[in-house]
Amino acid sequence: MRTHIDTLAAVRNLGILAHVDAGKTTVTERILYATGTTHKRGEVHDGTTVTDFDPQERDRGITIFAAAVSCAWAGHRITLIDTPGHVDFADEVERSLRVLDGAVAVFDAVAGVEPQSESVWRQADRHGVPRIAFVNKLDRAGADLDRAVASIRERLHPAPLVVQLPIGAEDGFTGVVDLVRMRSLVWGDGEGPAAEGAVPEALREQAVRRRRVLEEAVAERHPAALEEFCDRGALSAPALAAALRDLTRTGDGVVVLCGSAYRNRGIEPLLDAVVAYLPSPLDVPAVRGAGDDAGQRRAADPDAPFAALVFKVNASATGRLAHVRVYSGTLAKGDTVRDPGSGRTERVARILRVMADRHVQLDRAVAGDIVALAGVKAARAGATLCDPGAPLLLEPPVAAEPVVSVAVEARRGTDTGRLAAALARLAEEDPSLVVRTDAETGQTVLSGMGELHLEVAVEKIRRDGGPEVTVGRPRVAFRETVVGGVGGFVFRHVKQDGGAGQFAHVVLDVEPLGPEVGDTGFAFRSAVVGGRVPQEYVRAVEAGCRDALAEGPLGGHPVTGLRVTLTDGSTHVRDSSDAAFRTAGRLGLREALRACTTALLEPVAEVTVTVPEDAVGGVLGDLAARRGRVGGTRTRGGAAVVTATVPLAELFGYATRLRSRTQGRGAFTTRPAGYAPAPAPTPAPMPAPTRAPVR
């Protein structure tokens, strides 16, 4: 047992999180190079990176699919997942964070916290994933560690604990001062390791002052450190490191390091920080069951019954692979596992250690491992795999609701079946893609998280040997909401066609959920007194009301932002049933919504546009023409940064328009900002009356 504990304590499972172009993939590549996993430094701009192996990733120069790699450092085994930074692929980040124990958040030293940095940080908050921060690109013009740390404090609201001081600035950045051990680390122009030495005399006073600030910040948040600080007036290096580890794992502090991944400076201290501060599988709480298994817990013990979560499914040259995080137990090649969600049992043909698009075969996987399984043919992303003799259902990752849709069809009628199979495979690999058939038009509709998301999906069909596809113009996912409710709406459901009939009588109040149009969600409550509607029928009425939310009266869009109160009703001694009251709830709310004042909602996005200062006027005018509401303009690094809230429907084709207005120098990023009232459609003008000619 002691061997198991020692082995698990030397495991680190972490993700690399950041905004687009902050340097996530370059950090990952330098980690692989520093640990000896690769012998040549991969470059994003050359298309030679290990983790961005998909042809579309190399063509576009961005990370699209989360990729796992493994390496070793200081006697520890580290599994890294390089996650996408574009908002359209946030679901990949969500599923990765569900199975990770820690993360490294990468920030641009010039830009600081950017919109998607904030989004992925909030995602990590929801999952309770401990993080350390790495301020990258300190060699760029305009780089400023203090300004980047200030933006982390102001926008993300953690307690940043800066443990390094840069040596040099911008092009002159050559190394760092380690404030924990009070030493300097300087990198030369070559590819060798850092030269360790004393703190440079010119930085000694500043280093002592910053070390003091660090000690005070740690003592303020850590009881044991506070006790030593009060007794000795300072903290020793071991005590400071131990306190930093505790604060990182509890989330009460975030250790901040700095460097330049492109120039290979700062990577070794980052790896040391990963090993020292981020948790092992033994340090995270035991995984809990979901649903009927909510009372069960499984600790990270190789001797416990097997339990794992599938977080990614993809097709590779070796066949269909299910990527899993093993939470407890041991799995050997050839073992049989059970999916408690579907009730199926399957045999594991192979266990693979993943190195992006390459794999190393293993004889077994134990608690704490992130591996890929071949032979598991039916398990989808979010499924649980467990020991057939000790079933346990784990909470799956939550898939985001799609916001953009396109109609797709095969160019040749004979390829319809091939297209259906390709779309089904896409939806299986990426749960945030939804395929459905429009009931009115009969068209196949593909829905996703954004224009780029759908563009990548359609291109993947073509590159994987699928049929030629015709794509319709993107459409956004509208919602409907109540702005003026009704009270005392009476609905009776009576059906008698021989034998037992159906009878249900309900009285409903319908009102907006919040003070503003756009408040999302649905609330139901019962105000029935005297038992006029039994409790089991109240639950059936609520289920029926939820059924009615699928289609609203304005355009058949889902309804949100309302509260329904069951105020009265009555039953029949023989003809009332759950089914009757569910039908009454569905049909009654549907009729009540027609009597309400409703409004159409459209998805909006927060847009951050970075352009040269001489192009600001044109950009502001274009945003106004797209019904955008400008939130502010500021200057950063010699460029103007404009933030605005723009309807998602108005952003289609914006990238091309922005490039043409700024001669290719402009860039923009978006993130979802909820829903806002959509303008009423403009009625078509009536044709002018015609007069008979006068003779």
Side-chain angles (χ1 to χ4, degrees), residues 187-254:
W187 288 269
D189 293 331
E191 299 181 353
E196 183 176 341
V199 178
E201 193 61 37
L203 293 174
R204 180 172 296 278
E205 182 180 344
Q206 186 181 0
V208 170
R209 185 174 68 252
R210 292 194 178 224
R211 165 64 183 249
R212 184 70 176 181
V213 170
L214 175 63
E215 290 178 353
E216 291 174 351
V218 169
E220 184 181 332
R221 294 167 176 82
H222 193 278
L226 177 61
E227 185 176 346
E228 178 172 328
F229 187 77
C230 292
D231 289 344
R232 301 179 57 234
L235 291 176
S236 63
L240 181 56
L244 289 171
R245 179 173 60 248
D246 293 342
L247 293 174
T248 300
R249 294 176 183 179
T250 60
D252 294 324
V254 175

Side-chain angles (χ1 to χ4, degrees), residues 565-647:
T565 304
L566 177 65
T567 59
D568 200 1
S570 62
T571 62
H572 187 277
V573 66
R574 287 182 305 175
D575 293 346
S576 291
S577 63
D578 283 356
F581 272 89
R582 182 164 186 159
T583 302
R586 184 180 75 254
L587 299 180
L589 181 55
R590 192 173 292 173
E591 293 292 333
L593 287 172
R594 292 193 181 99
C596 293
T597 303
T598 53
L600 194 65
L601 302 176
E602 62 180 345
V604 295
E606 180 186 299
V607 182
T608 303
V609 188
T610 305
V611 294
E613 293 185 352
D614 59 0
V616 171
V619 168
L620 292 176
D622 190 39
L623 289 173
R626 295 172 184 270
R627 298 189 284 123
R629 298 196 308 273
V630 176
T633 304
R634 67 183 189 277
T635 302
R636 184 182 70 194
V641 180
V642 180
T643 57
T645 302
V646 185

Side-chain angles (χ1 to χ4, degrees), residues 127-315:
H127 290 279
V129 175
R131 280 141 282 170
I132 59 178
F134 181 70
V135 178
N136 191 27
K137 302 188 179 182
L138 273 181
D139 57 322
R140 284 185 60 195
D144 189 324
L145 175 62
D146 291 339
R147 188 173 63 229
V149 171
S151 72
I152 292 172
R153 182 185 295 107
E154 293 163 7
R155 298 192 61 176
L156 306 180
H157 310 295
L161 305 171
V162 184
V163 298
Q164 291 179 341
L165 170 66
I167 299 176
E170 300 181 351
D171 278 345
F173 171 70
T174 58
V176 297
V177 174
D178 178 356
L179 298 177
V180 177
R181 298 171 62 181
M182 291 304 286
R183 58 173 182 163
S184 69
L185 297 170
V186 178
W187 288 269
D189 293 331
E191 299 181 353
E196 183 176 341
V199 178
E201 193 61 37
L203 293 174
R204 180 172 296 278
E205 182 180 344
Q206 186 181 0
V208 170
R209 185 174 68 252
R210 292 194 178 224
R211 165 64 183 249
R212 184 70 176 181
V213 170
L214 175 63
E215 290 178 353
E216 291 174 351
V218 169
E220 184 181 332
R221 294 167 176 82
H222 193 278
L226 177 61
E227 185 176 346
E228 178 172 328
F229 187 77
C230 292
D231 289 344
R232 301 179 57 234
L235 291 176
S236 63
L240 181 56
L244 289 171
R245 179 173 60 248
D246 293 342
L247 293 174
T248 300
R249 294 176 183 179
T250 60
D252 294 324
V254 175
V255 171
V256 180
L257 301 98
C258 60
S260 168
Y262 180 71
R263 294 196 178 185
N264 215 36
R265 294 171 182 172
I267 299 302
E268 296 93 335
L270 176 61
L271 283 165
D272 291 337
V274 164
V275 168
Y277 305 133
L278 290 180
S280 73
L282 293 175
D283 299 318
V284 297
V287 68
R288 293 185 300 178
D292 295 337
D293 299 331
Q296 292 193 48
R297 291 175 177 266
R298 294 275 173 89
D301 181 0
D303 296 325
F306 174 74
L309 182 72
V310 180
F311 67 94
K312 182 179 176 70
V313 173
N314 74 303

Side-chain angles (χ1 to χ4, degrees), residues 510-556:
V510 182
E511 58 185 335
L513 185 59
E516 298 178 358
V517 174
D519 286 350
T520 58
F522 169 72
F524 179 91
R525 69 185 185 92
S526 172
V528 177
V529 295
R532 291 178 58 81
V533 179
Q535 188 59 38
E536 60 269 25
Y537 293 163
V538 171
R539 289 193 291 268
V541 173
E542 180 180 358
C545 288
R546 292 186 182 276
D547 294 342
L549 300 178
E551 295 183 1
L554 289 179

Side-chain angles (χ1 to χ4, degrees), residues 426-442:
L426 273 180
E428 181 182 21
E429 294 185 5
D430 185 352
S432 61
L433 286 171
V434 176
V435 181
R436 63 180 176 85
T437 301
D438 190 291
E440 294 183 2
T441 64

